[in-house]
Amino acid sequence: MSRRILPVRALAAAGTVAVLVAGLAACSSAEDDKDPDHRAFALQGTTLTVDADDSALEIVAADGNASGKVDVTRWFKGSVTLGSGPEVTWSMDGDRLKLRTRCSGLVADCATKHRVEVPRGITVTVRTDDGSVRAQGFRDALDIRTADGSVHVSDTTGPLALRSDDGSLRAEVSSRRVDATTKDGSVHLELGAVPDLVETRSDDGSVTVDLPRATYKVSADSDDGAVDVSVPRDGASSHVVNARTQDGEVTVRTAN
C-alpha cells in the first residue's frame, strides 16, 4: 500500500482554505450595517416592478411620500475571499427598480436588505430570485413572486397575488381577491373582509384560511391530509374559496 505525501505548500494551502471555510460559520447579517445607504428614484406612471436577485425585501406603501419618488434604503454586509466583489447596485429603468448583489468566490459571505417605500396609488409587482419579502399598507394591486423565500403581507386591501417556488406564504389582509400558491411551504391567510374570491394552493404544506363570518361556496381538498371546513356553506354564494394541497392539512374556518 502506497501513501501520497502532500508537499508543504499544498498542505499550507489546504489548511488556509479549511480555516477560511470554517470561518463561514459566522455569517454576515444585513442588520449589522449601522450606516445604510439611501436613494430616491423618480417614477413615471402608476406601476412599479421591483426586480431583485439576492436580498431580503420590505415593500411599504408610504402615506407621507407625496413627491412621486420611490425611496430606497439599503443595508449590506459582506466579504469575498479568493473571488471578485462584493458589489451591490441599484438603478431605475422605466418603471423597473433593479436591485442587484454580486458576491461570488471560493469564500463569499454577504447579506443584503432593501426597504422600498412606494407612493400611494401605485400598482406594485415584485420579482425576486432569492430572499424573503414583507409588504404592508397597499390599497392597490400587489403581485409578489419569489423563487426561494417566504412572503408575508399585512394591512392591505388591494387585489393580492402571491407565488413562491420554495417558501411559506402568510397574509393578514382585507383584500377582496387573493391568489396564493407555493410549491413547497405552508399557506396561512387571515382575511379581515368578506372576500369575493380566494384561490390558494400548496404542493407540499398545510393550507389555512381564516374568514369573517359569512356564507361561502367552498372547495377544499388534500391528496394526503385532513380537510376541515367549518364556515357556513352555500353552493350559490358569490363568496368563493378554493383551498387545495397535495400533502398537508386544509383548514377553512371562521376567524375568532
Side-chain angles (χ1 to χ4, degrees):
M1 181 191 233
S2 63
R3 239 175 178 184
R4 185 166 172 253
I5 300 177
L6 292 174
V8 173
R9 287 183 181 177
L11 287 170
T16 300
V17 171
V19 171
L20 290 171
V21 172
L24 284 178
C27 294
S28 293
S29 171
E31 303 296 338
D32 292 335
D33 184 358
K34 304 306 180 185
D35 186 24
D37 297 318
H38 301 272
R39 186 169 175 184
F41 296 89
L43 178 65
Q44 302 296 326
T46 59
T47 63
L48 172 68
T49 297
V50 180
D51 178 358
D53 66 347
D54 189 5
S55 173
L57 297 177
E58 184 180 0
I59 316 294
V60 180
D63 281 320
N65 190 344
S67 64
K69 294 184 177 181
V70 177
D71 294 324
V72 184
T73 303
R74 179 178 67 199
W75 293 263
F76 174 78
K77 277 291 185 180
S79 62
V80 172
T81 303
L82 302 180
S84 60
E87 180 184 18
V88 286
T89 61
W90 46 12
S91 63
M92 182 75 82
D93 183 8
D95 66 350
R96 183 175 292 266
L97 175 64
K98 295 182 178 180
L99 308 173
R100 294 291 182 266
T101 301
R102 295 290 178 259
C103 183
S104 61
L106 182 60
V107 181
D109 180 22
C110 298
T112 313
K113 176 184 174 181
H114 291 86
R115 176 183 170 91
V116 181
E117 298 183 35
V118 184
R120 291 287 188 188
I122 302 298
T123 297
V124 175
T125 299
V126 179
R127 298 291 183 266
T128 177
D129 289 339
D130 185 5
S132 63
V133 181
R134 298 179 68 90
Q136 64 177 3
F138 286 89
R139 300 169 187 163
D140 300 279
L142 180 62
D143 183 340
I144 300 174
R145 301 191 183 197
T146 175
D148 185 6
S150 62
V151 179
H152 186 184
V153 180
S154 60
D155 188 25
T156 289
T157 57
L160 186 62
L162 307 177
R163 294 285 188 281
S164 178
D165 290 342
D166 185 6
S168 62
L169 306 177
R170 185 175 183 90
E172 296 107 17
V173 298
S174 296
S175 302
R176 297 287 184 175
R177 300 180 70 88
V178 179
D179 188 342
T181 300
T182 179
K183 292 182 179 179
D184 187 3
S186 62
V187 180
H188 191 171
L189 306 179
E190 298 180 24
L191 302 183
V194 177
D196 297 325
L197 177 62
V198 175
E199 294 276 2
T200 181
R201 179 184 179 90
S202 174
D203 288 348
D204 185 6
S206 63
V207 173
T208 303
V209 183
D210 293 332
L211 297 164
R213 190 168 300 279
T215 300
Y216 299 90
K217 179 180 179 181
V218 179
S219 175
D221 181 66
S222 173
D223 292 344
D224 185 10
V227 176
D228 180 13
V229 178
S230 57
V231 297
R233 303 173 74 168
D234 182 350
S237 174
S238 60
H239 308 299
V240 179
V241 177
N242 297 317
R244 296 182 175 84
T245 181
Q246 291 185 12
D247 186 4
E249 298 180 353
V250 174
T251 304
V252 182
R253 62 195 180 193
T254 302
N256 295 327

